[in-house]
Amino acid sequence: MDQSAGDRVNLLGLPRAELEAFVAARFGAKPFRARQLMKWIYRRGAADFSEMTDLAKDFRAELETGAKISVPQIVTSQISSDGTRKWMLRMDEVQGIETVFIPEPDRGTLCISSQVGCAMDCSFCATAQQGFNRNLGVAEIVGQVWLARHELAAAAARGDPSAEGRKITNIVFMGMGEPLANYRNVLPAMRIFLDDLGYDLSRRRVTLSTSGLVPQIYKLAEECNVALAVSLHAPNDELRNELVPINRKHPIRELLAACWHYIEKQNGRSVTFEYVMLDGINDRPEHARELARLLRGRPAKLNLIPFNAFPGTPYRRSADGAIIRFRDVLNEMGVIATIRRTRGDDIDAACGQLAGRVTDRLIVRLGVKLPNHGVRTEVVR
Ligand code: SAH
């Protein structure tokens, strides 16, 4: 019987229990086969069953007909002067999503997307401008990690010094999209990040960042244990309603109650509150004092993000002095605040600059062939 590729089940992103059930139902295989597969897919980065030499030949042949490991296709890859890498992955003819790798001396953070576009409509975010297209599936979320690891390893193997020894030690949902609006797919993806047969990251090294979907924060508190970051951006509802419209539905008081519940339930250390520094909008010392009154004595840290501009935005980044003053006021009032260093802004890879339009980019031609995935990078215009 002819099995077309469409009938093959994508194993990428199947949580352990589902993979075990799948190999049992489809091939009558024992659960340890699923564990072997996971090691190959995630630890060794295999995408081809023929590489899996410790699996019996017959089983590999069955896998070829009934399963596949398929990862998103890379449209472009760019490297910033500071070593930050950005990949755009094709989702359809016009839309892409972006994944960013940020190397630091002691770690490597992968910033991943959860949706094509975003429906939250935050006024200062580039992703909001493209509107919401669709949720990413589990394989498309996990596939970003798979691809980034693959690309880093390939670059290191080519002798690229900026990739040498680079590992993904942290994963943050701070790319495009609102992860809690795609809870159904984000949760199993996080399980694979945490699974010791998956990417085996500790709960402190996987961070979910949300604009403040309160009911889903309560749900997450019951179901998964990861670090929580919350995009606060304003110390009062009047201002936050303007910047983060979801605040009209879930105001600050309710949001903070959900955060403290999460920390208590998860036995966590603290919530990281993100605060974008917008010149003349939310960056005055009185804003810092108002913020400190909300957060002091609570398990909270503040991360001040200098605003990153994008075409058409009316906002400007706060002056360096204003950002430092803001931080100092918070620290003096007993709230830990740090300033996020801007990374990758020369390739539009910084926070809030991910736009994912496949069509209007100036693209670097690399055109390198990968064994399974066709052309790695192509010119779109
Ligand atoms: N939807 C999630 C993840 C989004 S992006 C969330 O809202 O948390 C990660 C962070 O970048 C968020 O805190 C977001 O508010 C911030 N951000 C968005 N646009 C920005 C911009 N132009 N400059 C700096 N930070 C921005």
Side-chain angles (χ1 to χ4, degrees):
M1 239 199 329
D2 185 35
Q3 284 263 22
S4 74
D7 298 321
R8 289 154 58 191
V9 171
N10 190 3
L11 304 188
L12 189 72
L14 283 190
R16 195 193 292 209
E18 279 177 46
L19 188 59
E20 286 175 353
F22 171 75
V23 296
R26 189 84 178 231
F27 312 116
K30 298 243 159 60
F32 82 93
R33 293 292 177 207
R35 296 198 289 273
Q36 279 179 309
L37 278 166
M38 285 188 77
K39 282 192 203 163
W40 276 107
I41 298 170
Y42 304 111
R43 290 212 191 144
R44 305 202 194 171
D48 205 329
F49 298 119
S50 64
E51 291 173 58
M52 304 182 180
T53 45
D54 60 353
L55 300 184
K57 262 213 163 96
D58 292 352
F59 183 46
R60 274 189 268 159
E62 284 177 336
L63 284 166
E64 296 288 355
T65 56
K68 62 183 176 180
I69 298 159
S70 96
V71 297
Q73 190 198 354
I74 297 179
V75 182
T76 60
S77 70
Q78 290 171 281
I79 306 182
S80 156
S81 56
D82 68 14
T84 299
R85 287 164 187 264
K86 182 171 84 165
W87 297 279
M88 184 189 280
L89 309 180
R90 179 184 294 284
M91 293 296 130
D92 60 38
E93 285 316 301
V94 286
Q95 304 257 25
I97 53 150
E98 296 183 317
T99 305
V100 178
F101 177 72
I102 306 149
E104 285 173 277
D106 57 339
R107 60 180 159 182
T109 303
L110 192 71
C111 178
I112 62 173
S113 297
S114 56
Q115 299 182 312
V116 184
C118 188
M120 294 297 113
D121 207 24
C122 300
S123 61
F124 51 85
C125 180
T127 306
Q129 308 225 317
Q130 74 183 98
F132 173 69
N133 185 292
R134 67 172 175 88
N135 283 328
L136 295 184
V138 190
E140 292 169 325
I141 299 171
V142 176
Q144 296 172 61
V145 183
W146 192 99
L147 270 173
R149 281 189 83 211
H150 183 277
E151 292 298 295
L152 286 169
R158 286 197 303 272
D160 177 343
S162 72
E164 207 192 326
R166 287 297 174 193
K167 294 233 155 22
I168 296 166
T169 61
N170 295 63
I171 297 175
V172 299
F173 279 92
M174 295 185 188
M176 297 163 68
E178 167 49 54
L180 289 184
N182 184 15
Y183 192 95
R184 193 165 56 88
N185 296 316
V186 165
L187 187 70
M190 294 196 299
R191 294 227 158 99
I192 286 174
F193 301 159
L194 300 173
D195 192 321
D196 56 1
L197 295 177
Y199 290 115
D200 196 20
L201 296 176
S202 87
R203 48 182 273 217
R204 284 193 240 292
R205 292 179 177 272
V206 177
T207 301
L208 184 139
S209 177
T210 179
S211 55
L213 271 59
V214 167
Q216 284 90 332
I217 294 174
Y218 282 103
K219 205 163 157 208
L220 190 69
E222 299 300 319
E223 293 184 309
C224 196
N225 199 335
V226 292
L228 183 65
V230 171
S231 295
L232 192 57
H233 304 316
N236 58 61
D237 286 325
E238 196 188 349
L239 188 51
R240 194 164 190 270
N241 285 345
E242 294 306 311
L243 300 177
V244 185
I246 191 72
N247 194 69
R248 293 174 205 158
K249 199 162 167 198
H250 306 297
I252 292 176
R253 210 166 50 85
E254 284 175 28
L255 174 59
L256 294 182
C259 291
W260 314 143
H261 170 82
Y262 186 84
I263 290 300
E264 204 177 292
K265 186 86 198 176
Q266 297 283 351
N267 219 349
R269 285 185 185 167
S270 57
V271 173
T272 300
F273 291 95
E274 295 153 292
Y275 194 99
V276 63
M277 299 296 295
L278 302 167
D279 182 38
I281 305 282
N282 64 354
D283 64 346
R284 288 195 297 274
E286 67 241 42
H287 293 127
R289 286 192 287 273
E290 204 178 352
L291 201 52
R293 286 194 291 273
L294 283 180
L295 299 181
R296 71 179 154 195
R298 299 291 192 171
K301 278 190 301 201
L302 262 167
N303 198 208
L304 306 176
I305 314 175
F307 171 66
N308 295 304
F310 52 88
T313 179
Y315 295 111
R316 279 165 305 156
R317 179 182 292 185
S318 304
D320 289 351
I323 300 177
I324 290 167
R325 220 169 22 252
F326 201 91
R327 178 198 60 193
D328 291 346
V329 170
L330 285 159
N331 287 342
E332 280 156 24
M333 289 181 71
V335 175
I336 300 165
T338 51
I339 300 170
R340 188 180 291 179
R341 200 150 67 87
T342 296
R343 299 291 304 265
D345 53 344
D346 56 337
I347 56 166
D348 287 346
C351 302
Q353 290 185 316
L354 305 183
R357 276 179 301 272
V358 174
T359 41
D360 63 3
R361 300 255 156 171
L362 188 68
I363 281 152
V364 200
R365 180 194 271 276
L366 290 175
V368 182
K369 286 256 184 198
L370 277 183
N372 288 317
H373 320 293
V375 178
R376 192 178 64 161
T377 302
E378 61 185 54
V379 177
V380 170
R381 64 162 206 200

